[in-house]
């Protein structure tokens, strides 16, 4: 039996290169030797965006198409949508009985978001409870590992504490404490050098058209001290450099590094191998995505089958949970 992995992503619509290198690429790799459960966290989207949900359904399916295009393999992986599994909400309710309020209130993600929330838009029970919901997402599959970024580490830690307390209170080893699976993933800078994000408008989509990608990369700022082509630069000061670390081989990197430092190449020369590599990668994604987009029924089926597979596992856990809390009747 392969160790079980669970992870979710909020439905943000079409994904960008930051999502791919920060999470999705790792998910694709994990499929080789893990029993993977990957889901669209659409309830989680509503914990913050409960008013503006007009595009939510389209965003869910756009994201699933990008997962498939990137190489998530529905034959090996259980791919599903959270809101189709009310079992997650049932576990959330039952875990709420033994979870101290202070564990949720003290989470840095919660405190930071509330401090920045002048409108009190996030002064809701749903937002406070979101890490508990996340714990239910994980514990219901008795997962061994949860691959998430560093920002989510406190949520995995609290999920472990919630499982431990539940087992302790009910005197039975019903829930498994999951471990966080950290991989050193590249934080890909956006077009302005800050972290890539759709809301900042600095992203390159996985399915971006080649001429758009080219235009965006050609316009991307470089080492500010290189005004003329012959000015020596320093890749460490350049927002483009991390892309070389992800996309270029050693020889190309050495060429770019020495060309930059000696003022022997222009920044557009330096960017060209990146443009070529990214456009080529996107072509593969676009081609696969188009096959799915031409056949939306197939995508629905993939999600349907994944959801039913997940449900079988979720139901088995819930039978044990109900009986542990006194609801075996
Ligand atoms: N909270 C995660 C995020 O915002 C998404 C998520 C929801 C998740 N449930 C999960 C991740 C369970 C891992 C496991 O990115
Ligand atoms: Fe950046 Fe390359 Fe220009 Fe140097 S040559 S500043 S690394 S884009």
């Amino acid at each position: 039996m392969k160790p079980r992995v669970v992870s979710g992503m909020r439905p943000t619509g079409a994904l960008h290169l930051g999502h791919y290198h920060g999470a999705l690429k790792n998910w694709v790799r994990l499929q080789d030797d893990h029993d993977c459960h990957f889901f669209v966290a659409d309830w989680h989207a509503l914990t913050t965006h409960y008013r503006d949900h007009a595009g939510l359904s389209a965003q869910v399916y756009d994201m699933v198409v990008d997962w498939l295009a990137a190489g998530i393999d529905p034959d090996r992986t259980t791919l599903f949508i959270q809101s189709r599994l009310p079992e997650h909400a049932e576990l959330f309710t039952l875990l709420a009985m033994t979870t101290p309020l202070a564990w949720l209130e003290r989470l840095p993600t919660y405190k930071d978001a509330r401090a920045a929330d002048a409108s009190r838009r996030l002064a809701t029970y749903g937002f406070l409870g979101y890490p508990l919901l996340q714990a239910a997402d994980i514990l219901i599959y008795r997962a061994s590992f949860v691959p998430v970024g560093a920002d989510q580490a406190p949520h995995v830690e609290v999920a472990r504490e919630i499982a431990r307390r539940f087992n302790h209170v009910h005197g039975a080893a019903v829930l498994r404490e999951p471990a966080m699976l950290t991989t050193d993933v590249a934080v890909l800078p956006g077009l302005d050098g800050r972290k890539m994000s759709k809301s900042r408008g600095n992203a390159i989509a996985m399915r971006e058209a080649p001429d758009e990608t080219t235009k965006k990369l050609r316009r991307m700022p470089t080492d500010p001290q290189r005004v003329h082509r012959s000015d020596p630069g320093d890749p460490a000061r350049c927002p483009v450099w991390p892309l070389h670390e992800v996309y270029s081989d050693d020889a190309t990197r050495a060429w770019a590094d020495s060309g930059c430092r000696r003022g022997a190449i222009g920044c557009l020369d330096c960017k060209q191998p990146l443009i070529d590599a990214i456009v080529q990668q996107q072509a593969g994604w676009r081609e696969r995505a188009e096959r799915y987009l031409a056949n939306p029924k197939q995508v629905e089926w993939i999600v349907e089958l994944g959801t039913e597979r997940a449900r079988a596992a979720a139901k088995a856990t819930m039978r044990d949970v109900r009986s542990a809390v006194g609801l075996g009747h």
Side-chain angles (χ1 to χ4, degrees), residues 222-223 226 238 240-241 260 267 270:
T222 60
D223 177 356
R226 280 203 86 193
C238 177
V240 174
W241 187 255
C260 178
C267 289
C270 179

Side-chain angles (χ1 to χ4, degrees), residues 153-173:
H155 293 169
V156 179
E157 189 46 47
V158 85
R160 293 166 56 83
E161 287 166 12
I162 289 167
R164 208 177 310 146
R165 181 162 162 83
F166 180 94
N167 290 342
H168 176 74
V169 166
H170 299 295

Side-chain angles (χ1 to χ4, degrees), residues 39-60:
F39 68 95
V40 182
D42 52 352
W43 280 337
H44 286 264
L46 293 181
T47 63
T48 49
H49 292 68
Y50 48 88
R51 280 183 200 281
D52 39 343
H53 50 71
L56 185 55
S57 302
Q59 286 173 344
V60 166

Side-chain angles (χ1 to χ4, degrees), residues 115-178:
D117 177 36
S119 66
R120 296 185 54 79
R121 192 177 60 90
L122 298 178
T124 58
Y125 174 63
F127 186 67
L128 173 67
Y130 131 66
L132 180 59
L133 179 58
Q134 180 165 354
D137 298 335
I138 297 165
L139 301 176
I140 204 163
Y141 298 106
R142 293 170 159 150
S144 299
F145 299 110
V146 187
V148 283
D151 61 316
Q152 294 287 315
H155 293 169
V156 179
E157 189 46 47
V158 85
R160 293 166 56 83
E161 287 166 12
I162 289 167
R164 208 177 310 146
R165 181 162 162 83
F166 180 94
N167 290 342
H168 176 74
V169 166
H170 299 295
V174 177
L175 300 174
R176 178 198 288 262
E177 277 183 50

Side-chain angles (χ1 to χ4, degrees), residues 4-33:
R4 184 171 285 179
V5 157
V6 174
S7 199
M9 238 187 248
R10 285 171 182 245
T12 50
L15 300 182
H16 53 61
L17 297 183
H19 294 120
Y20 178 73
H21 293 288
L24 197 48
K25 186 169 68 176
N26 186 37
W27 285 14
V28 171
R29 264 196 308 247
L30 283 169
Q31 298 179 115
D32 292 337
D33 37 22

Side-chain angles (χ1 to χ4, degrees), residues 215-271:
K215 207 159 66 190
K216 285 181 172 180
L217 287 168
R218 289 178 68 98
R219 280 197 198 134
M220 191 168 169
T222 60
D223 177 356
Q225 295 184 22
R226 280 203 86 193
V227 181
H228 306 290
R229 193 182 185 280
S230 54
D231 292 341
D234 181 356
R237 277 194 306 254
C238 177
V240 174
W241 187 255
L243 289 168
H244 273 297
E245 292 187 333
V246 171
Y247 281 99
S248 299
D249 56 24
D250 290 346
T252 307
R253 259 200 306 270
W255 163 81
D257 182 86
S258 94
C260 178
R261 290 176 193 284
R262 291 182 295 121
I265 58 169
C267 289
L268 288 177
D269 304 325
C270 179
K271 288 173 175 179

